[in-house]
Amino acid sequence: MKKERRVKKNGDFQKVFKKGKSFANRQFVVYCLEKPQQTEFRIGLSVNKKLGNAVVRNQIKRHIRQAFHELDQELAQSMDYVIIARKPAATMDFFETKKSLEHVLKVAKVLKRTGRAKHVNHAKIN
């Protein structure tokens, strides 16, 4: 993830927390704040020390970044996202992390459904 794609400053985090909307599932809380002047989305990550040692926390962050990298074309671009990992995220592999993030981003209505195969009913018509 490029540096310009990350929320790093405390003031930026606080702005997203105060003015943004939050959406959650068991594994993640996602705060979303629309920023019309931005051309690309930015993400900020928060992984508490209670989730595990540095190795575990860094692995969670790598999984989240990679999931956002893969969802790049489907995400609303002019947004700041702050992701807070909850306890169950510590035991998840990458695919479970991505699926969980997709779920919470769909709930937030910031994930487009491009490039996905839609279910087609092949019922016979007489």
Side-chain angles (χ1 to χ4, degrees):
M1 202 52 64
K2 299 177 196 171
K3 272 191 176 181
E4 54 270 5
R5 284 252 175 134
R6 294 192 186 168
V7 177
K8 292 294 252 180
K9 295 181 181 175
N10 186 38
D12 291 342
F13 270 93
Q14 295 307 317
K15 202 176 288 183
V16 175
F17 288 138
K18 288 178 183 167
K19 295 182 181 178
K21 294 187 178 180
S22 67
F23 305 91
N25 60 12
R26 287 191 172 153
Q27 296 82 16
F28 299 102
V29 179
V30 176
Y31 285 84
C32 304
L33 177 64
E34 190 166 2
K35 300 192 101 181
Q37 70 276 14
Q38 276 180 199
T39 57
E40 295 181 327
F41 68 84
R42 299 188 312 160
I43 64 169
L45 303 175
S46 175
V47 182
N48 197 327
K49 284 186 176 183
K50 291 179 184 177
L51 271 77
N53 62 15
V55 174
V56 173
R57 294 193 309 271
N58 288 330
Q59 183 180 32
I60 293 168
K61 290 188 273 189
R62 280 196 309 273
H63 287 245
I64 295 169
R65 281 191 207 106
Q66 183 62 31
F68 268 81
H69 179 71
E70 290 185 10
L71 296 170
D72 184 7
Q73 299 302 312
E74 298 177 40
L75 278 166
Q77 293 297 310
S78 60
M79 302 280 280
D80 277 354
Y81 301 100
V82 173
I83 297 92
I84 300 172
R86 289 180 167 174
K87 191 76 171 167
T91 58
M92 295 167 62
D93 66 7
F94 169 71
F95 298 104
E96 292 170 325
T97 301
K98 184 178 176 187
K99 187 175 179 183
S100 180
L101 280 170
E102 280 180 344
H103 171 260
V104 76
L105 291 169
K106 282 178 192 169
V107 170
K109 295 185 173 122
V110 294
L111 195 62
K112 301 174 208 156
R113 300 280 288 167
T114 58
R116 300 250 177 208
K118 294 182 180 175
H119 177 71
V120 178
N121 190 358
H122 294 287
K124 289 184 180 179
I125 301 171
N126 291 339

